[in-house]
Amino acid sequence: MKLTKNHGLIHEFYWLEETHDGGFIIAGMEGKAGATDNGDAWLVLTSKDGSLIWEKSFGLAGNIQDIATCVKEVDPYYYVYTGWNYSYDIGNGDLWLFATFVLP
């Protein structure tokens, strides 16, 4: 795949699934290099040759780790993803489920 953007960020992939058009939808985490205590959930949509079509990070402000762990295409360009977050300040976490529509 051709995901080469870095800009001092780290990317972790937790789920990869083929889309209706032969591309890929990826769920994971995007965070600052060297930081171990926070990051944002990250979704990536690519073409079938791995070229980036769309990407978006989602997360809460503060000392919180947000991770997208799974993503499913339920209709063309309509995705449901799951994940969790963990607050390093108060020691609590939550599971979550979201949906998003992507116009390529």
Side-chain angles (χ1 to χ4, degrees):
M1 301 186 74
K2 299 177 184 175
L3 299 174
T4 57
K5 184 182 107 176
N6 186 299
H7 307 294
L9 299 174
I10 57 167
H11 298 105
E12 296 179 3
F13 298 97
Y14 294 97
W15 194 270
L16 175 115
E17 187 160 309
E18 190 171 358
T19 59
H20 74 282
D21 58 0
F24 298 95
I25 185 74
I26 302 163
M29 187 273 298
E30 176 179 70
K32 293 181 182 176
T36 58
D37 59 357
N38 66 2
D40 290 325
W42 187 48
L43 294 181
V44 179
L45 181 65
T46 73
S47 64
K48 59 185 165 185
D49 70 356
S51 298
L52 182 66
I53 295 174
W54 177 87
E55 69 175 321
K56 179 72 177 169
S57 58
F58 305 87
L60 299 172
N63 197 15
I64 296 175
Q65 180 80 46
D66 303 292
I67 295 177
T69 54
C70 183
V71 61
K72 295 289 185 181
E73 183 177 46
V74 293
D75 270 327
Y77 305 109
Y78 185 73
Y79 304 96
V80 173
Y81 66 99
T82 62
W84 57 269
N85 65 26
Y86 181 81
S87 171
Y88 289 91
D89 293 331
I90 58 175
N92 291 333
D94 295 300
L95 298 174
W96 34 261
L97 172 70
F98 286 98
T100 189
F101 184 76
V102 176
L103 291 174

